[in-house]
Structure formats: C-alpha cells, structure tokens
Amino acid sequence: MRGVSVYTMGVLVILLCCLAAAAAAAAEGYMKYKDPKQPLNGRIKDLMKRMTLEEKIGQMTQIERANATADVVRNYFIGSVLSGGGSVPSEQASTETWINLVNGIQKGAMSTRLGIPMIYGIDAVHGHNNVYNSTIFPHNVGLGVTRDPHLMKRIGAATALEVRATGIPYTFAPCIAVCRDPRWGRCYESYSEDPNIVRKMTEIITGLQGDIPAGSRKGVPYVGGSDKIAACAKHYVGDGGTTEGINENNTVINQHGLFSIHMPGYYSAISKGVSTIMVSYTSWNGKKMHANRDLVTGFLKNKLRFRGFVISDWQGIDRITSPPHANYSYSVQAGVGAGIDMIMVPYDYTEFIDELTSQVKNNIIPMTRIDDAVRRILRVKFTMGLFEKPYADHTYVNQLGSQEHREIAREAVRKSLVLLKNGKSKNKPLLPLPKKAPKILIAGTHADNLGYQCGGWTITWQGLNGNNHTRGTTILKAIKNTVDPATQVVYSENPDSSLLKSNKFSYAIVVVGEPAYAETFGDSLNLTIPDQGINTINNVCGVVKCLVVLISGRPVVIQPYLPAMDALVAAWLPGTEGQGVADVLFGDYGFTGKLARTWFKSADQLPMNVGDKHYDPLFPFGFGLTTKPTKKY
C-alpha cells in the first residue's frame, strides 16, 4: 500500500484488533439459549455445549424441599426440587408462603453460572391436595365411573390453576395405573380395571398442560403457557397388576398382557404431549422397572419416541436392590443406564452426585447417556417457558379453592356416585329421598369427617381423620343444607338401640367406609371395613328404613350386610365437595354412574376382572342403577 506511513498502518491494525475484540465480546455476551426467538433445538444445543459434567449431573438430581436451600441448589446445580406427600413450608401455609418458598429456591438456581432454572414438582393427584384450602376432587377410582373425558379436562385445568396459585409448575399426575386387584393400597389412584377407560381419562393431561398444537410431532412434550403445568404419567409400567395387589411387588404377566392391559394409557399420554413419565417401583416378571433398559429406553424412548424426561420414583433407584440401598453403585449404574433421566434422591443427593460423577469419569456410564438425560430435562424446561419466566408471581392466587373449581368438583362427585341397590323390591325404590320428612337420622363414622371423605394424599401422605385440616363440606353438612328447613336432622355417629327405638325416624342415612390410607399402608388381603361401620349398619338398618353410603377407595366386602339395607350407594372418596352427594341422594340430579371396577362377592375371588373366565361378581363391571331428577332445570 504505497503512500501509507508505518504509523498509519499501526493505527489501522490496532483499530482492527479492537473491532475484532469487541465483536468477540459481543458474541460471548450473546447466549443463544437465552433467546426465545431461537429454535428450541438450537437453544438446547447451545446450552449443552456450555455445561460442565458437574452442571449436567446437577440437572439430573431432584431433592426434597426440606433440604433445598438456595445455597444447596446453587452449589450443586440442582435441577429440580419436590414436595413429598405432606411436605409443606408451614402448616396451613398461604399461597404467598408457597410462592416465597419456590422463588427463594429458584434464586439459588438463577445465581449459578448459566442460570438454568430449577423445576419444582408436587403430588397434585386429586386437586392440589397437599395445600390447605385447595379444591379436593374425587380420587381417580370415582372419576373412572364418570367415563367423561371432558370433565377430566376441566378438572386438569382447574388443578393447574390451583398449583400455579402456589408458584409450582409441575405435578406428579396423572396416575394411569390399571388396577387389576383391589387389594392394592393404591387402587383408588386408578381410574379402572379396564385399559380403555384409563386411556379415555388421560384427557386430564390436556387440562393440566393444554392442547398440543395441530401438527405437533408425537411424543414431544408440551406445556401451553403460565396457567398450565407439566404433567407426569405414572407409574411405568404394570404397577396395578402385582401379585395379590401388594404394593411395589412383582407383576407376573406375559408381554401380550403387559402391552394390552398396562401399556395403552401411555400411548394416549404420549400422544397428548405429556412432559414426563415416572417409573414404577414394581418389577415385571422379576425384573425391577427402575433397571429395565428394554422397556425404558428400548420401548418408551426408542419405539414410542417419547421426548420428555423419565423420572424415578421417591428413592426409586435405591429400591432396585433388596434391601434398598444395599449396593448403591449398582443401583446408580442400573437406574441411569436403564434410561432414567431425573433421579428423585430426596435426601442423600451428595452421595448420588458423587457416585454418578465417578461412574462417568470411569467410563462406566457413557457421556452420551448423561447428554440424553440433560437434553430431555432442558427440553421440558424450555417448553414450559421457565427460562423466560423462572419466578412465580401472584397472578393466580385467587384460584386456590375458588368457587368455580368447587363447582366442578361437586359435579364430579355427582357423576361418580354409583347406585347399587334401591329398595328391597323393585316396586318400592327408596331413592331419591324426600326432602320433607318429620325426622331423619344420620349415622356412621364417615358422615361428618372431611378427612375420611377425601382419603389418602390429602394434606398429608396418608390422609387424615377429622374436619380441622382443610376447608370443605361434609356429607352431614350437605344433607342439612338440602333437606326442608322443617325436617329435624338427628346425627349420631354410632346410635344405640334406645335412640333408634324411641325416635320415629322417617329414614336413616348411614355413612361408613374405610379410614384414610395411601400406598403400602392401604394394602389389604381381606378388604373389610372397620367393625364400627359394620355394627352401625346392622344396628340402624335392623330398625329403621336405611340408605348406606359407602366411602371407600375400592370395592369392599359388603355382600353379608346387603340384605339389611334398603339402598346402597358407592361414593368412593369424593373429596371436599360433599354437597355433590346430597345433590343426587335427594333427587336434584339423577344417578348416572356405572361401575368402572368389578365388585366381588368375597375377597377369595380376587383377582377377578371383567372378561375373566370365572366371572361371578356381586355387581358386574358397568353396573349402576339410574334415577331421574325430581327437579327440572
């Protein structure tokens, strides 16, 4: 370049260097993964190439709220936090307390080098059931009776709003188990013994997450905005088919049986864009599901092309061995190697992180497996909009326990009731009951007990006894709300013979059933209700014209007492809106419910399901008497 001095050349070189440095700095400052305008896969790829092994393993780790401080989340790059059953920031915590809890933990995640938001999960399995003042919907055993997918979608949408009211974006629901033996303590979490009904009821997923956009690829997770939450189909697969209904036991069935009975719900869940799938504690023909690579990676991920993340159950990988945690190195290798992406290690998270890190560094678990897990977790987080809106706000606080949601729950109660007997002869039906009567008797352990009415997974893991734990309407209160003001309502939990004989009752309503329970604590080989309930049926129905309302998580032994009853209603576990029971008993609405489960004569017949060769039930699958409403709308 003639005519340009050495000095000028030097200045030009310096300027060019400065411009290059500025461009490099700008490029470094721009992080593609933080740009919502970028394609999803591009954002995931950009973020993953920036992540260290430590950050990736942190994403795969889910810990319990009780030890999830902001510092722990920041220091270990924790990807997810959960509330176990009954794990709350304080008793009767307000929405504000919940939001502050979630945001306090999130601050730890957002202050890390890459600012990857954590995802908070909770068991909102029949409404936002851990939370005081929430709407508690009927448990799944009752909802299956309705066979109403549109109702399920509305329940899902209402639940999503109530979960968002507390700042939480993820629920471990729905349970799409096909309970084939009511001796199982989780049978009330199953919609039916019939996989076709279970498939139909997966419509709750579109309520929780939103409708997937037209033309979406099958298997891709979807969450449609800040009023929706990520869902989790569980427990993959065969959890409802264990020997003798024993929780976490072995499901002995051939491949055709597993795929035709227990798998169809997952086809529907995946086609609806479910974000996550939880693996079952159970085994299939002796092989632990948490270690079953063929079914988790081979079938679920590769064959069904599920693109969300697979999560373990609570301490699920520990239970690969018997006793649990007997060989933790093997459990980590088997569980992560099987294809589980997020590991629920509520307490001993440092042990898990150290063990998995060691196995990756020693080439026991390949880096490709870690990258698959993290890619899936990030896909769900990006899809949910967590990167754009990591913090909870107060937008939906007025949705918790709203009247609108309680009305949906009340409708669900009405539609879930099954009328099993109506009058000692067909010509003399007892129901609908007259609202105008001089004096009526209400009796039984469950007539005025909101805890029993809601069942397990309500406020605490195992559920509660009594009326002081959350807000709702007991069946007794609902009856008092419904009958004529001039009708005298006498309530006695267990009336003695003198009360029964000295008072002239027009009729009696006896409300009895099972106490609250969950999971293993609910396993029962005899399926009897407590003696006090039986005694009340015998005492009252022997003297007064009586209707028995049964509150239970499954069919129970009732045949010996049936002749004494004038009428029998299966009300399952109706939740907080007991008014829905009274709506139908007194004829404001008709009975429409049809059994979604076979009702056995004797527990010795179990397991017995519709279609079996030796099918001899007390009430068959699909049975349910109907009545017409006495009130016109």
Side-chain angles (χ1 to χ4, degrees), residues 176-177 199 202 233-239 262-271 274 277-278 300 304:
I176 54 172
R199 287 195 80 160
T202 59
K234 66 184 189 184
H235 310 83
Y236 185 82
V237 58
D239 50 341
H262 298 285
M263 193 66 81
Y266 291 94
Y267 305 150
S268 296
I270 290 166
S271 72
V274 74
I277 290 176
M278 184 183 290
L300 181 60
L304 298 185

Side-chain angles (χ1 to χ4, degrees), residues 295-468:
L295 281 176
V296 176
T297 295
F299 191 73
L300 181 60
K301 290 184 172 182
N302 296 344
K303 185 90 182 280
L304 298 185
R305 302 191 64 77
F306 172 62
R307 291 290 175 265
F309 67 79
V310 177
I311 187 168
S312 83
D313 207 332
W314 179 278
Q315 296 177 327
I317 62 166
D318 300 55
R319 302 193 205 188
I320 289 171
T321 59
S322 185
H325 205 78
N327 183 344
Y328 195 61
S329 295
Y330 167 72
S331 292
V332 170
Q333 182 184 349
V336 176
I340 301 172
D341 305 311
M342 185 177 281
I343 315 295
M344 201 184 284
V345 275
Y347 305 119
D348 300 322
Y349 55 91
T350 55
E351 180 189 26
F352 167 72
I353 289 168
D354 291 346
E355 181 57 43
L356 183 54
T357 303
S358 168
Q359 291 196 21
V360 174
K361 286 182 175 175
N362 288 301
N363 297 316
I364 296 165
I365 291 177
M367 198 64 207
T368 51
R369 173 72 275 272
I370 302 300
D371 285 344
D372 171 58
V374 177
R375 193 177 296 112
R376 290 166 177 277
I377 292 163
L378 294 178
R379 181 178 289 119
V380 170
K381 290 184 176 184
F382 277 120
T383 302
M384 293 172 69
L386 270 178
F387 281 81
E388 285 67 62
K389 197 179 175 188
Y391 292 107
D393 59 34
H394 291 77
T395 304
Y396 301 107
V397 292
N398 64 342
Q399 297 288 340
L400 188 77
S402 74
Q403 193 55 42
E404 185 184 350
H405 297 165
R406 291 182 185 276
E407 287 301 325
I408 297 169
R410 182 174 170 180
E411 177 188 343
V413 174
R414 291 195 293 261
K415 291 179 174 178
S416 68
L417 302 177
V418 182
L419 181 56
L420 297 172
K421 181 177 180 178
N422 191 15
K424 289 192 174 171
S425 71
K426 285 184 180 177
N427 305 326
K428 291 187 176 177
L430 181 63
L431 292 159
L433 297 168
K435 292 180 184 178
K436 286 188 176 181
K439 188 189 288 187
I440 63 173
L441 172 66
I442 315 299
T445 46
H446 290 55
D448 191 32
N449 196 313
L450 200 58
Y452 283 175
Q453 202 172 291
C454 292
W457 289 107
T458 309
I459 304 300
T460 68
W461 174 38
Q462 291 295 321
L464 294 159
N465 173 8
N467 293 334
N468 302 321

Side-chain angles (χ1 to χ4, degrees), residues 374-609:
V374 177
R375 193 177 296 112
R376 290 166 177 277
I377 292 163
L378 294 178
R379 181 178 289 119
V380 170
K381 290 184 176 184
F382 277 120
T383 302
M384 293 172 69
L386 270 178
F387 281 81
E388 285 67 62
K389 197 179 175 188
Y391 292 107
D393 59 34
H394 291 77
T395 304
Y396 301 107
V397 292
N398 64 342
Q399 297 288 340
L400 188 77
S402 74
Q403 193 55 42
E404 185 184 350
H405 297 165
R406 291 182 185 276
E407 287 301 325
I408 297 169
R410 182 174 170 180
E411 177 188 343
V413 174
R414 291 195 293 261
K415 291 179 174 178
S416 68
L417 302 177
V418 182
L419 181 56
L420 297 172
K421 181 177 180 178
N422 191 15
K424 289 192 174 171
S425 71
K426 285 184 180 177
N427 305 326
K428 291 187 176 177
L430 181 63
L431 292 159
L433 297 168
K435 292 180 184 178
K436 286 188 176 181
K439 188 189 288 187
I440 63 173
L441 172 66
I442 315 299
T445 46
H446 290 55
D448 191 32
N449 196 313
L450 200 58
Y452 283 175
Q453 202 172 291
C454 292
W457 289 107
T458 309
I459 304 300
T460 68
W461 174 38
Q462 291 295 321
L464 294 159
N465 173 8
N467 293 334
N468 302 321
H469 310 292
T470 195
R471 192 165 69 85
T473 305
T474 67
I475 293 169
L476 174 65
K477 180 76 166 64
I479 292 167
K480 288 180 174 177
N481 290 344
T482 307
V483 295
D484 190 86
T487 298
Q488 186 183 348
V489 178
V490 176
Y491 167 63
S492 174
E493 187 175 309
N494 192 17
D496 59 25
S497 56
S498 61
L499 174 69
L500 291 166
K501 285 172 184 171
S502 62
N503 286 271
K504 290 180 179 175
F505 295 108
S506 304
Y507 57 84
I509 303 173
V510 176
V511 191
V512 293
E514 295 187 295
Y517 57 81
E519 297 191 51
T520 306
F521 293 89
D523 288 355
S524 169
L525 291 177
N526 57 32
L527 291 176
T528 54
I529 65 172
D531 289 344
Q532 191 176 347
I534 301 302
N535 292 339
T536 306
I537 291 171
N538 288 336
N539 293 343
V540 175
C541 296
V543 180
V544 184
K545 195 177 350 179
C546 81
L547 157 68
V548 173
V549 177
L550 198 58
I551 305 294
S552 68
R554 53 203 163 184
V556 291
V557 174
I558 205 71
Q559 188 185 33
Y561 324 110
L562 198 55
M565 305 172 193
D566 291 272
L568 173 63
V569 171
W572 314 107
L573 297 168
T576 51
E577 305 315 300
Q579 193 64 49
V581 176
D583 285 344
V584 185
L585 297 187
F586 292 93
D588 289 343
Y589 294 81
F591 280 92
T592 57
K594 304 290 184 185
L595 288 178
R597 301 210 56 79
T598 296
W599 204 296
F600 57 87
K601 292 175 180 173
S602 159
D604 296 338
Q605 296 174 292
L606 299 173
M608 177 176 62
N609 295 284

Side-chain angles (χ1 to χ4, degrees), residues 81-368:
V81 175
L82 84 152
S83 275
S87 175
V88 296
S90 60
E91 196 175 336
Q92 299 188 0
S94 66
T95 50
E96 188 169 9
T97 301
W98 277 102
I99 288 168
N100 290 340
L101 165 76
V102 175
N103 283 345
I105 296 169
Q106 190 68 284
K107 278 176 187 164
M110 298 310 293
S111 66
T112 56
R113 183 177 72 92
L114 295 171
I116 304 172
M118 69 89 199
I119 179 173
Y120 197 108
I122 197 164
D123 285 280
V125 298
H126 63 138
H128 198 9
N129 45 262
N130 263 5
V131 175
Y132 178 75
N133 203 28
S134 64
T135 307
I136 306 296
F137 293 90
H139 266 298
N140 291 357
V141 66
L143 296 178
V145 163
T146 72
R147 293 165 171 75
D148 186 342
H150 180 61
L151 175 64
M152 294 308 301
K153 185 174 184 176
R154 289 159 58 215
I155 288 171
T159 301
L161 287 168
E162 299 212 7
V163 173
R164 283 287 190 179
T166 55
I168 296 172
Y170 176 31
T171 176
F172 308 118
C175 177
I176 54 172
V178 183
C179 174
R180 302 290 284 178
D181 193 325
R183 293 175 290 188
W184 185 36
R186 300 194 84 145
C187 201
Y188 64 76
E189 296 184 58
S190 168
Y191 296 110
S192 178
E193 68 194 42
D194 177 3
N196 294 317
I197 291 178
V198 174
R199 287 195 80 160
K200 198 181 278 192
M201 307 316 269
T202 59
E203 191 65 15
I204 193 171
I205 292 166
T206 62
L208 292 165
Q209 297 192 156
D211 289 298
I212 57 170
S216 294
R217 281 175 56 210
K218 184 189 166 192
V220 176
Y222 177 75
V223 181
S226 62
D227 61 341
K228 299 296 180 185
I229 58 177
C232 177
K234 66 184 189 184
H235 310 83
Y236 185 82
V237 58
D239 50 341
T242 60
T243 302
E244 296 186 332
I246 296 169
N247 194 41
E248 304 181 24
N249 202 17
N250 190 23
T251 298
V252 180
I253 194 170
N254 62 23
Q255 184 168 308
H256 172 73
L258 185 80
F259 279 62
S260 63
I261 295 170
H262 298 285
M263 193 66 81
Y266 291 94
Y267 305 150
S268 296
I270 290 166
S271 72
K272 289 178 167 75
V274 74
S275 295
T276 73
I277 290 176
M278 184 183 290
V279 181
S280 176
Y281 288 130
T282 55
S283 304
W284 176 41
N285 296 334
K287 173 89 171 174
K288 288 277 188 181
M289 279 305 310
H290 273 73
N292 196 319
R293 191 174 192 281
D294 289 342
L295 281 176
V296 176
T297 295
F299 191 73
L300 181 60
K301 290 184 172 182
N302 296 344
K303 185 90 182 280
L304 298 185
R305 302 191 64 77
F306 172 62
R307 291 290 175 265
F309 67 79
V310 177
I311 187 168
S312 83
D313 207 332
W314 179 278
Q315 296 177 327
I317 62 166
D318 300 55
R319 302 193 205 188
I320 289 171
T321 59
S322 185
H325 205 78
N327 183 344
Y328 195 61
S329 295
Y330 167 72
S331 292
V332 170
Q333 182 184 349
V336 176
I340 301 172
D341 305 311
M342 185 177 281
I343 315 295
M344 201 184 284
V345 275
Y347 305 119
D348 300 322
Y349 55 91
T350 55
E351 180 189 26
F352 167 72
I353 289 168
D354 291 346
E355 181 57 43
L356 183 54
T357 303
S358 168
Q359 291 196 21
V360 174
K361 286 182 175 175
N362 288 301
N363 297 316
I364 296 165
I365 291 177
M367 198 64 207
T368 51

